[in-house]
């Protein structure tokens, strides 16, 4: 397989079990999923069905109880803590369900942090961070601290951070939570563009309207993948374009 | 609504002949309601009979006759804009009926029915979203009309998915036996100790 067609993310029969015996909770059960370059996949399912668990496993934030998680051809189980941290800094962008900007850093510093940790100069990291803010039309927030921004602004800064640099895998857990519908749509457009430009994306959402930006939707129920909407032929004839 | 109101609305702007009415109607409703010229002419004939439109002079070189609104036609269309659309409140939607039946029919896996529909509706939603994302940033007036029609379909598909989610979570909170026990007979019998199922709801709602 060439580098271009190799999937960015492969989950192969992945399970995640918390606790044991009476208190055992199966968060994810034998899930398999492949996301290719250029693809945006939505994950839907009721609360507690395992969506965040799937995302955390895909991002190497949690280890599978069984099965394999492969990112950019690397089995994450084969990496030590440092290797995993490096993979996360370079290749994976995360937007979490509950925001986690670092309170003592400005927006631009938050965004530039993964680059700085990766050895970039402060200056280069800042210039990349400002570019990322520009793309989201948030330049004016660059020097504000998280507690000086609205929830929606913090959310968008978190998204800017996930997209900064050369990330090839973008994982977003309800990234539109605190946003009004127009702003939320803008964020999805950016995610879509990033994927069209070659990244692979995994988007957890409760909203069908947001899942509609994805190429496919994966459904979870009680930790089990129950269905996947395949890539059906597009029904462009639905509406004639009046122009 | 009928073609009648559509034509009156267009003629309120300026006199037009049949072919132009047809193309304007299609362009300005986002292409969701294609008309044929025959329909346009029979409707015009009926409107003329009822005194709502009248021909403007004779036919032109190509034999076309333009029509304009009469005073009665104008007042008809003005009251139409402000009259709320009357919706039939009885659900006749095939999906609604299908699920209501599925809940009470023995041996039907309602979850699979829900999932099959949701998958199809999500695909539809995705296709609509793709169309929408192609819309220009500086739309013309007709583009805006097209976009609004598209948005309406998006909202409808979205509402359907939400309703399906709701059906699923309602059923998942009910013991399987209760769902099966609630036959059509129970639903007709009215309130009882058995948990109310989705099938019993429209009855209460109608009361
Ligand atoms: N660290 C943990 N210890 C024990 N159980 C856990 C842990 N993390 C998650 N779970 C359980 O795993 C299941 C899946 O949780 P997960 O967070 O993946 O759900 P979700 O689909 O993201 O839900 P939501 O839509 O509410 O965010 C839940 O039952 C949860 O309680
Ligand atoms: Mg979650």
């Amino acid at each position: 397989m060439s580098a271009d067609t190799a999937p960015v993310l492969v989950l192969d029969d992945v399970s995640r079990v918390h606790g044991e015996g009476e208190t055992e909770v199966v968060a994810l059960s034998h899930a398999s999923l492949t996301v290719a370059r250029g693809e945006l996949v939505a994950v839907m399912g009721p609360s507690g069905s395992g969506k965040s668990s799937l995302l955390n496993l895909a991002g190497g934030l949690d280890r599978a109880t069984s099965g394999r998680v492969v990112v950019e051809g690397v089995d994450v189980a084969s990496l030590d803590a440092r290797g995993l941290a490096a993979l996360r800094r370079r290749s994976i962008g995360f937007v979490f369900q509950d925001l986690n900007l670092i309170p003592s850093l400005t927006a631009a510093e938050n965004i530039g942090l993964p680059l700085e940790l990766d050895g970039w100069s402060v200056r280069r990291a800042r210039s990349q961070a400002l570019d990322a803010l520009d793309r989201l039309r948030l330049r004016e927030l660059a020097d504000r601290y998280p507690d000086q921004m609205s929830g929606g602004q913090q959310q968008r800064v978190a998204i800017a951070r996930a997209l900064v640099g050369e990330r090839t895998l973008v994982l977003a857990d309800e990234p539109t939570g605190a946003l009004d519908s127009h702003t939320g749509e803008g964020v999805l457009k950016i995610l879509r563009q990033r994927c069209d430009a070659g990244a692979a994306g995994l988007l957890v959402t409760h909203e069908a309207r947001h899942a509609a930006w994805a190429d496919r939707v994966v459904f979870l129920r009680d930790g089990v993948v129950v269905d996947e909407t395949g890539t059906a032929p597009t029904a462009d004839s639905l509406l004639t374009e009046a122009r | 609504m009928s073609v009648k109101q559509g034509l009156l609305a267009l003629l309120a702007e300026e006199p037009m002949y049949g072919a132009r009415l047809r193309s304007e109607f299609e362009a300005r409703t986002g292409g969701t309601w294609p008309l044929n010229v025959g329909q346009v002419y029979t409707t015009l004939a009926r409107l003329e009979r009822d005194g709502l439109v009248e021909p403007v002079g004779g036919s032109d070189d190509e034999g076309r006759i333009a029509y304009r609104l009469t005073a009665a036609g104008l007042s008809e269309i003005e009251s139409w804009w402000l009259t709320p659309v009357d919706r039939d409140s009885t659900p006749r939607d095939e999906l609604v009926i299908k699920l209501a039946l599925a809940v009470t029919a023995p041996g039907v896996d309602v979850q699979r029915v829900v999932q099959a529909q949701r998958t199809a509706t999500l695909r539809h939603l995705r296709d609509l979203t793709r169309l929408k994302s192609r819309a220009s940033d500086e739309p013309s007036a007709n583009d805006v009309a097209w976009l609004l029609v598209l948005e309406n379909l998006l909202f409808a598909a979205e509402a359907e998915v939400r309703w399906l989610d709701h059906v699923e979570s309602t059923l998942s909170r009910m013991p399987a036996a209760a769902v099966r026990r609630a036959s059509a007979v129970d639903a007709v019998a009215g309130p009882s100790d058995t948990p109310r199922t989705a099938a019993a709801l429209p009855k209460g709602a109608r009361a």
Side-chain angles (χ1 to χ4, degrees):
Chain A
M1 229 185 264
S2 80
D4 275 357
T5 55
V8 176
L9 173 68
V10 178
L11 299 191
D12 180 17
D13 201 30
V14 172
S15 299
R16 177 64 170 104
V17 182
H18 297 281
E20 54 187 60
E22 296 244 312
T23 61
E24 182 181 286
V25 180
V26 180
L28 203 63
S29 175
H30 303 284
S32 293
L33 174 69
T34 298
V35 188
R37 227 169 280 287
E39 223 183 357
L40 178 61
V41 177
V43 181
M44 301 186 84
S47 193
S49 58
K51 304 180 298 294
S52 295
S53 302
L54 187 147
L55 223 61
N56 289 340
L57 290 163
L61 294 176
D62 190 16
R63 301 253 187 197
T65 311
S66 65
R68 282 189 330 140
V69 177
V70 181
V71 177
E72 295 281 21
V74 179
D75 186 337
V76 300
S78 73
L79 297 172
D80 59 12
R82 276 183 62 191
L84 200 56
L87 178 73
R88 283 207 301 263
R89 276 198 312 270
R90 280 181 207 143
S91 304
I92 306 176
F94 245 116
V95 186
F96 295 98
Q97 192 165 12
D98 35 19
L99 317 165
N100 39 22
L101 297 178
I102 297 170
S104 59
L105 300 181
T106 64
E109 287 164 352
N110 263 287
I111 296 167
L113 184 65
L115 302 176
E116 277 186 54
L117 289 174
D118 216 29
W120 292 43
S121 71
V122 174
R123 232 178 130 153
R124 262 184 83 210
R126 179 171 170 87
S127 118
Q128 283 280 314
L130 294 181
D131 280 354
L133 282 167
D134 275 343
R135 262 181 273 148
L136 288 163
R137 299 198 190 143
L138 295 175
R139 183 64 173 256
E140 70 280 7
L141 299 180
D143 298 313
R144 289 211 219 157
Y145 291 92
D147 66 0
Q148 298 168 331
M149 294 183 266
S150 75
Q153 288 168 335
Q154 292 180 46
Q155 191 93 343
R156 280 176 285 165
V157 169
I159 287 154
R161 186 183 54 187
L163 297 177
V164 77
E166 304 292 314
R167 309 306 174 69
T168 47
L169 178 61
V170 180
L171 304 170
D173 201 343
E174 298 273 1
T176 50
L179 306 178
D180 64 45
S181 66
H182 260 92
T183 321
E185 189 152 284
V187 164
L188 290 163
K189 257 190 192 151
I190 287 161
L191 203 55
R192 179 74 257 177
Q193 280 164 7
R194 219 353 138 72
C195 291
D196 288 342
L202 205 52
L203 162 75
V204 170
T205 179
H206 281 288
E207 305 243 2
R209 172 173 276 265
H210 295 159
W213 287 85
D215 301 294
R216 284 187 286 141
V217 182
V218 175
F219 286 96
L220 285 176
R221 193 184 300 126
D222 298 331
V224 178
V225 175
V226 290
D227 197 24
E228 250 190 79
T229 64
T231 12
T234 50
D236 275 12
S237 54
L238 284 170
L239 279 180
T240 52
E241 290 179 71
R243 50 193 61 162
Chain B
M1 136 147 213
S2 60
V3 179
K4 171 183 152 184
Q5 280 95 5
L7 300 192
L8 289 176
L10 292 172
L11 290 175
E13 295 165 17
E14 59 176 320
M16 294 181 207
Y17 46 83
R20 164 109 192 274
L21 277 168
R22 173 178 165 265
S23 60
E24 285 282 327
F25 185 83
E26 282 190 26
R28 292 171 56 180
T29 52
T32 42
W33 193 344
L35 297 180
N36 62 52
V37 168
Q39 257 174 307
V40 174
Y41 281 110
T42 45
T43 307
L44 280 172
R46 233 175 292 133
L47 291 170
E48 187 179 359
R49 180 200 63 199
D50 297 341
L52 300 173
V53 305
E54 62 195 11
V56 187
S59 53
D60 69 5
D61 303 346
E62 293 172 48
R64 296 175 303 197
I65 302 173
Y67 287 85
R68 69 176 164 223
L69 286 192
T70 62
L74 194 62
S75 88
E76 170 90 10
I77 196 63
E78 278 172 353
S79 83
W80 181 67
W81 288 124
L82 296 179
T83 310
V85 173
D86 187 18
R87 299 206 185 277
D88 186 347
S89 52
T90 333
R92 291 277 162 67
D93 185 284
E94 182 183 342
L95 175 61
V96 177
I97 305 295
K98 185 195 276 186
L99 273 168
L101 290 172
V103 168
T104 50
V108 176
D109 184 343
V110 186
Q111 248 185 14
R112 283 185 58 199
V113 177
V114 169
Q115 190 63 33
Q117 183 64 43
R118 185 166 44 205
T119 301
T121 309
L122 279 170
R123 279 201 193 123
H124 178 59
L125 199 57
R126 182 193 62 193
D127 294 337
L128 293 169
T129 303
R130 284 188 182 163
L131 277 178
K132 198 182 118 180
S133 67
R134 278 191 232 143
S136 134
D137 284 338
E138 285 161 36
S140 69
N142 281 5
D143 286 344
V144 172
W146 173 79
L147 213 53
L148 290 178
V149 171
L150 193 59
E151 284 280 8
N152 179 266
L153 300 180
L154 266 160
F155 277 112
E158 191 183 18
E160 188 170 294
V161 173
R162 289 181 62 184
W163 179 69
L164 289 166
D165 286 346
H166 179 74
V167 168
E168 185 173 58
S169 80
T170 304
L171 294 179
S172 73
R173 265 187 238 118
M174 243 178 303
V179 177
R180 254 178 272 116
R181 216 188 308 127
S183 64
V185 180
D186 289 333
V188 170
S192 75
D193 292 341
T194 48
R196 297 289 83 205
T197 67
L201 290 176
K203 186 167 168 284
R206 255 182 265 126

